[in-house]
Amino acid sequence: MPLLRLVGITKRFGALTANSDITVAISRGEIHGLLGENGAGKTTLMNIVYGLLQPDEGRIEIDGKPVTIKSPRDALALGVGMVHQHFMLVPDMTVAENVALALGGRRLSRSHIGEVAERIRELSSGYGLELDPADVVENTAVGVRQRVEIVKLLYRGAGLLIMDEPTAALTGPEWQHLSAVLRSLVAAGKSVIFITHKLDELFGVADRCTVLRDGSVVGESVVAETTKSELARQMVGRDVSLRVKHTRRAPGAAVLESRGLSLVDPDGRERLTQIDLNVREHEILGIAGVDGNGQRELVEVLTGMREPSAGEILLGGRRFQKLTPQEYKGSGGAVVPEDRQHTGTVMTMPLADNLLLKDFASPPFSRRGVLNRAAITDHAQALIAEYDIRCPSPAVTMTTLSGGNQQKAVLARELSHHPRVLIAAQPTRGLDVGAIEAVYRRLLEYRDAGGAILLLSIELDEILSLADRIAVMVAGRFKRTIDVDDADTQLLGLLMAGEDAPQPGTPVAG
Ligand SMILES: Nc1ncnc2c1ncn2[C@@H]1O[C@H](COP(=O)(O)OP(=O)(O)OP(=O)(O)O)[C@@H](O)[C@H]1O
Ligand SMILES: [Mg+2]
């Protein structure tokens, strides 16, 4: 008998059917992958199982018995837990305090926290979580925070863990760790539902998988009996290739440069140290590095969100000691920020407005202070078609778009302004394989047309497929800049880990 069975689940949002008559069964002790294009209905379905949404039709059974799940509290009482993409942790509290907080009820007394810490240690060693209850969350890496979210659910006795794109922000080694944790969970009889766009990962851990398309189940497979290309075809309905044709171009003039750029936090921590970079026309400069090595700060300083402590920025022929976001944009700068929900968009505003944020004030969108709705809608409709943003209409708010479609909207807005330079941080995070293929094509087209791109990505394959030169960033410094022809995953991995790999062409001693 399956642990969880969804029978005929249908969920509508107005005229849109996000889930259509979905039937799926999850066994005890299995890792079940849930795949599908951006907007296919994966998160909606899991939000129903976790009690965040109510289905319009269908039923949920646990151990063969029909259940009603009206809230996450109901779900947890039935042994169902969910880890969201955006963690819900208090940064300046310890791991144990965060877990105690999630348990609710009792006051956070020292003795209670002591008990919680003890139980975390047991769970941690049982499942290989490697958590220290005394660590303060803000000082820990993304992978650790994710394991804190997992321990919160295990503490409350979850037997089924739902993970919505758990690896979008993880580096290779962090993913290795997570997959080992998932294996030990299922070895102990627990079950995992794992939403992902990354087929390599799916093949590394999952037993079975279900593919959704346009809200319906279009395939169910035993992972060992299918192939990546078969699954990709099921997802997007055609063949997909992520191998882009990368032809080199002679670079043109430098568009964005920095000299001696440094950033020291108010608490004295050095975030960026003496960064010299230049991004030229017809060129993609990739920045490879483990998350949290200053990439975010570099983007903030280059786009005028933060003032550097030293150094200067040259943009479009002008020299800036400090730059405002308006000056960055005014000088032809565009940015796809890493955190689209906070800095890229206004989530509560309509998609159409988000597709133009920057030129609200100018004709044809506004004349003498009056917005021209028709022009705004036309503009939005053109970008929605061009970038394949899946949505019911330009009038819906950003919050109702699926994660991947929000990302497409930000990219569409930024590139539609024909910028001179684009800073793109994790531009394909959360995108499905078909959408990634389209983004790669677009970035290369932009570069071929003379665009300059600074590409920050934790995906080494992405950097190696797109960049012309690659700078490896470690602890706020550029460790080395290499030509893509001299780079491979292994060399980048070594440099990112802070090791001194041999220079190309230099004989290795011994
Ligand atoms: N609250 C809502 N109101 C209206 N429409 C919604 C709402 N939530 C989701 N949708 C729509 O339902 C569809 C399915 O969205 P969902 O978030 O489940 O997709 P997904 O498969 O998780 O995609 P992604 O891979 O991009 O995360 C999308 O078209 C989305 O726009
Ligand atoms: Mg989703």
Side-chain angles (χ1 to χ4, degrees), residues 131-302:
L131 290 176
D132 182 342
D135 277 346
V136 175
V137 164
E138 68 189 343
N139 300 332
T140 61
V142 189
V144 176
R145 293 178 200 192
Q146 185 170 56
R147 300 199 299 276
V148 177
E149 292 287 9
I150 294 175
V151 90
K152 270 164 56 176
L153 300 175
L154 294 176
Y155 202 110
R156 290 187 277 180
L160 168 66
L161 279 89
I162 300 170
M163 305 197 73
D164 193 351
E165 294 187 47
T167 63
L170 296 191
T171 53
E174 285 175 326
W175 159 239
Q176 293 306 328
H177 191 163
L178 178 63
S179 63
V181 169
L182 298 184
R183 277 195 210 95
S184 65
L185 289 170
V186 294
K190 296 184 185 290
S191 309
V192 177
I193 300 179
F194 176 69
I195 301 182
T196 187
H197 290 293
K198 300 183 188 172
L199 294 175
D200 283 336
E201 297 176 350
L202 179 89
F203 275 76
V205 299
D207 305 297
R208 291 193 307 140
C209 67
T210 297
V211 180
L212 298 185
R213 195 154 104 218
D214 292 333
S216 301
V217 175
V218 292
E220 276 170 329
S221 326
V222 171
V223 172
E225 292 167 4
T226 184
T227 61
K228 285 177 209 164
S229 41
E230 173 56 32
L231 291 176
R233 213 169 15 241
Q234 280 180 9
M235 279 192 271
V236 300
R238 62 180 168 84
D239 287 320
V240 192
S241 161
L242 289 185
R243 238 169 278 130
V244 289
K245 209 158 87 242
H246 188 280
T247 44
R248 297 300 289 270
R249 292 268 169 161
V255 183
L256 173 67
E257 291 177 78
S258 78
R259 296 197 188 130
L261 208 57
S262 298
L263 178 71
V264 182
D265 263 355
D267 64 3
R269 267 165 77 164
E270 232 175 301
R271 297 292 183 178
L272 297 173
T273 309
Q274 295 284 332
I275 302 276
D276 295 326
L277 64 75
N278 70 75
V279 195
R280 298 170 292 185
E281 292 166 347
H282 288 300
E283 181 182 61
I284 300 181
L285 174 63
I287 296 190
V290 175
D291 219 9
N293 274 269
Q295 297 95 321
R296 186 182 298 254
E297 289 80 2
L298 181 62
V299 173
E300 288 172 349
V301 169
L302 289 175

Side-chain angles (χ1 to χ4, degrees), residues 13 16 18 37-44 165 197 400-404:
F13 295 109
L16 182 132
E37 280 184 299
N38 297 129
K42 305 176 296 294
T43 299
T44 301
E165 294 187 47
H197 290 293
T400 70
L401 293 194
S402 78

